[in-house]
Amino acid sequence: KGIPAKFDTGASKITGPPSMMKMFLNAIPKTCKNFPAAFPTFSFNFGGKDFNLSPCDYMYMDEIDKCKSVFTVEEIDLEILILGVPFMKTVYTVFHIQDE
């Protein structure tokens, strides 16, 4: 099922409807043992084209060397997918600003 998406250059995470974010989080192994081989690649489809997010794109080590994901569940019930820098760094992004 498709939902609207927003590309946000100021967002350091990926968030969206809680049910969708929980689906991503549940698919990620609970430990970083066997990283990245045991981790899935996630795919987003825009305009009929798939854009993949590899484990190295959505996982990182925090300041105490704990393995973390960029997927986050917000307290508010979002009806839109917000794709921040972790997604945008994986694609060639062009912004066209047109004079009115």
Side-chain angles (χ1 to χ4, degrees), residues 3 5 11 29 35-36 51 73 76 84 91-92:
I3 66 166
F35 178 81
F51 296 88
V73 178
I76 58 173
V91 296
Y92 182 73

Side-chain angles (χ1 to χ4, degrees), residues 13-79:
K13 302 276 187 170
I14 294 175
T15 192
S19 60
M20 178 183 277
M21 295 300 102
K22 288 175 185 172
M23 179 191 70
F24 287 125
L25 292 168
N26 287 336
I28 298 170
K30 302 300 178 224
T31 69
C32 280
K33 202 175 197 180
N34 301 322
F35 178 81
F39 287 66
T41 294
F42 296 112
S43 184
F44 298 89
N45 186 288
F46 299 105
K49 178 162 176 41
D50 288 334
F51 296 88
N52 294 326
L53 204 59
S54 74
C56 292
D57 297 322
Y58 66 79
M59 297 299 295
Y60 67 96
M61 299 299 276
D62 70 7
E63 57 277 351
I64 57 171
D65 289 335
K66 187 171 180 187
C67 199
K68 299 276 193 171
S69 108
V70 299
F71 297 105
T72 184
V73 178
E74 296 292 334
E75 297 296 321
I76 58 173
D77 192 15
L78 295 173
E79 296 299 323

